[in-house]
Amino acid sequence: MYNVLIIGSGCAGLTAAIYAARANLKPLVLDGHEPGGQLSLTTHVENYPGFPEGIMGPQLIENMRKQAQKFGAEFKAGALTEVDLSKRPFKIIAGKDIYEARALIVAAGASARLLGLKGEKQLIGHGVSTCATCDGYFFRGKPIAVVGGGDSAMEEANFLSRYASKVHLIHRRNDFRASKIMIERARTNEKVAFVTPFAVEEILAPQGHVEGVSVRNQQTKETQEIPVDGVFVAIGHDPNTIVFKGKLEMDSNGYLLAKHGSLTAIPGVFVAGDVQDHRYRQAVTAAGTGCMAALDAEKFLEEHKD
Ligand code: NAP
């Protein structure tokens, strides 16, 4: 039986672990299917406070993990397959392993959708990115592509135009899901070129880093190559919340709904990080909400000593 079980070992989960461990709660962290979360998929992080020279994403995560372990947090590999939140202690099942916990912190994160192209995942950090705020700065004066037709793609194209010499906004249809104002902003941005209706068929990286994309016109079926140094995939995120369907309140996109800080409708269940945040999605905001969840869990356990 654990006092606190934390689902997810990204920035939010690890910060919750540091706080819960320092409160002597001996938390258990379940790593999940993407140990370390999205930071472990990125390279240089320059906007996490406290590192004037920047820090590599995987190193930042490793530091947080060590910090949590130092204070007594326990880690187990395994991804959540089932939860029973109908009574306390909560039951958490990860494959063959069954855990019980007096309080639960859900910090399962959200996974950026990828295009599913060959080599795409391996090229993350070598020209492929799913986070403009994290990586835009590395493409100063270089041509890049943004893929997608929603608000994220428009926002990223505009944001990246501050750095890039040219932004090719590639979308598979001539219509966009993005709001009119966001489309208009991108259209009037002279650095942004709309490439529609084109689907990316291949990311060209003969030397192990992105040199271009091959795209196919969805109407004429013609292909062409666009030389770019970076490809920003902005086709949405999926919160890792399938297991919580019908158990915790979520919005229409599957993001968990937090009320009053990290609290949910179920006393003793708290949420933190990107699993409940599609707006900010930053390492530092995830860490902040991880801290909030641990403090809320600590207070809850003090008030419920059963
Ligand atoms: P989204 O609205 O779901 O748009 C995803 C886009 O990616 C769509 O254009 C879709 O194309 C395309 N796409 C999906 N899978 C693809 C694939 N396999 N290959 C190529 N293209 C693919 O996602 P989002 O833009 O991340 O926005 C999510 C939510 O956050 C929305 O509600 C949005 O309004 C909100 N948001 C708001 C702001 C803001 O207001 N500042 C900023 C960002 C996000 P199709 O259209 O052809 O399906």
Side-chain angles (χ1 to χ4, degrees):
M1 163 85 81
Y2 289 89
N3 291 312
V4 183
L5 192 144
I6 299 165
I7 295 168
S9 59
C11 224
L14 292 177
T15 306
I18 292 167
Y19 272 77
R22 285 192 80 247
N24 263 343
L25 293 173
K26 296 191 169 42
L28 173 70
V29 182
L30 265 190
D31 263 331
H33 58 82
E34 273 176 24
Q38 291 187 59
L39 267 188
S40 61
L41 297 177
T42 184
T43 48
H44 210 205
V45 179
E46 289 181 324
N47 54 7
Y48 198 89
F51 300 94
E53 306 305 323
I55 182 166
M56 297 302 278
Q59 184 64 58
L60 180 57
I61 279 295
E62 182 57 26
N63 290 355
M64 289 186 192
R65 198 177 172 102
K66 278 196 192 135
Q67 198 173 348
Q69 276 166 331
K70 183 175 121 183
F71 295 113
E74 194 186 327
F75 287 80
K76 289 232 159 92
L80 183 69
T81 44
E82 179 78 58
V83 279
D84 182 357
L85 307 179
S86 61
K87 57 182 184 307
R88 273 187 289 123
F90 305 119
K91 200 186 266 182
I92 295 98
I93 303 170
K96 285 186 282 185
D97 301 318
I98 301 174
Y99 306 99
E100 284 189 324
R102 294 188 177 94
L104 183 67
I105 296 176
V106 183
S111 305
R113 287 185 205 138
L114 288 173
L115 294 162
L117 298 172
K118 196 166 152 255
E120 184 185 16
K121 223 173 183 168
Q122 292 77 353
L123 286 167
I124 289 176
H126 303 279
V128 171
S129 173
T130 54
C131 177
T133 347
C134 319
D135 299 327
Y137 191 70
F138 303 122
F139 296 91
R140 273 164 297 167
K142 294 177 175 165
I144 54 138
V146 172
V147 187
D151 280 332
S152 295
M154 300 302 145
E155 192 168 74
E156 300 216 342
N158 273 323
F159 174 80
L160 290 163
S161 71
R162 293 189 209 165
Y163 307 106
S165 56
K166 176 136 195 155
V167 179
H168 300 273
L169 181 66
I170 304 170
H171 178 42
R172 61 187 176 185
R173 296 187 298 133
N174 285 325
D175 297 322
F176 296 93
R177 273 174 210 263
S179 46
K180 285 202 170 65
I181 186 163
M182 301 284 276
I183 301 169
E184 201 45 38
R185 240 176 249 161
R187 281 220 191 271
T188 52
N189 185 328
E190 55 189 28
K191 274 198 188 169
V192 178
F194 279 60
V195 184
T196 67
F198 279 90
V200 179
E201 286 212 323
E202 195 184 346
I203 299 170
L204 309 168
Q207 316 283 340
H209 55 86
V210 173
E211 291 179 25
V213 284
S214 170
V215 294
R216 185 180 293 274
N217 186 309
Q218 296 305 287
Q219 284 161 359
T220 65
K221 301 298 170 199
E222 275 167 48
T223 59
Q224 68 182 73
E225 288 186 4
I226 307 174
V228 288
D229 287 64
V231 180
F232 286 80
V233 182
I235 59 171
H237 283 76
D238 292 316
N240 300 314
T241 54
I242 290 171
V243 172
F244 297 102
K245 219 165 183 183
K247 295 176 179 170
L248 288 176
E249 248 183 292
M250 46 183 85
D251 69 11
S252 57
N253 292 317
Y255 285 89
L256 298 182
L257 294 173
K259 36 183 107 180
H260 313 303
S262 73
L263 275 63
T264 66
I266 300 181
V269 179
F270 306 92
V271 292
D274 285 11
V275 79
Q276 50 88 56
D277 170 27
H278 54 80
R279 185 180 169 91
Y280 300 105
R281 297 196 291 232
Q282 299 300 299
V284 68
T285 49
T289 53
C291 159
M292 286 158 63
L295 294 178
D296 287 338
E298 186 186 352
K299 187 164 186 292
F300 171 83
L301 289 169
E302 262 168 29
E303 290 167 355
H304 299 80
K305 292 206 188 290
D306 48 323

